[in-house]
Amino acid sequence: MTARVFGALERIAGRGDGTAIIVAHGGSGVCVVHWWLGLAEEYWSRVSYELAPCSITRLGITEWGERSIIKLN
């Protein structure tokens, strides 16, 4: 599943459109956050996030160009 999610996100990011809205389930939502933060595979089993049903997570880039979790749930 992680490979599919990462592949889809790479295609979306490759469009260069700017803002994107991604709809995901809990497990794939965790993959989205891992991809956004650029976490190496060795961390995937050590870092997770609880994503509530119908929650909104907002990811962005800080003024210093760092990828950030702006809002989780």
Side-chain angles (χ1 to χ4, degrees):
M1 176 184 66
T2 300
R4 290 193 319 266
V5 171
F6 278 30
L9 294 170
E10 290 294 336
R11 287 190 300 277
I12 292 167
R15 292 182 192 163
D17 295 338
T19 301
I21 297 174
I22 310 295
V23 178
H25 293 278
S28 57
V30 169
C31 293
V32 169
V33 176
H34 283 171
W35 176 85
W36 180 253
L37 295 176
L39 292 181
E41 186 173 357
E42 64 193 72
Y43 295 104
W44 297 348
S45 63
R46 296 173 40 193
V47 179
S48 190
Y49 320 91
E50 285 196 33
L51 301 174
C54 300
S55 66
I56 295 175
T57 293
R58 187 169 172 221
L59 307 172
I61 299 177
T62 68
E63 61 186 283
W64 302 281
E66 302 163 331
R67 290 184 173 206
S68 174
I69 300 171
I70 297 169
K71 178 182 179 181
L72 186 67
N73 275 324

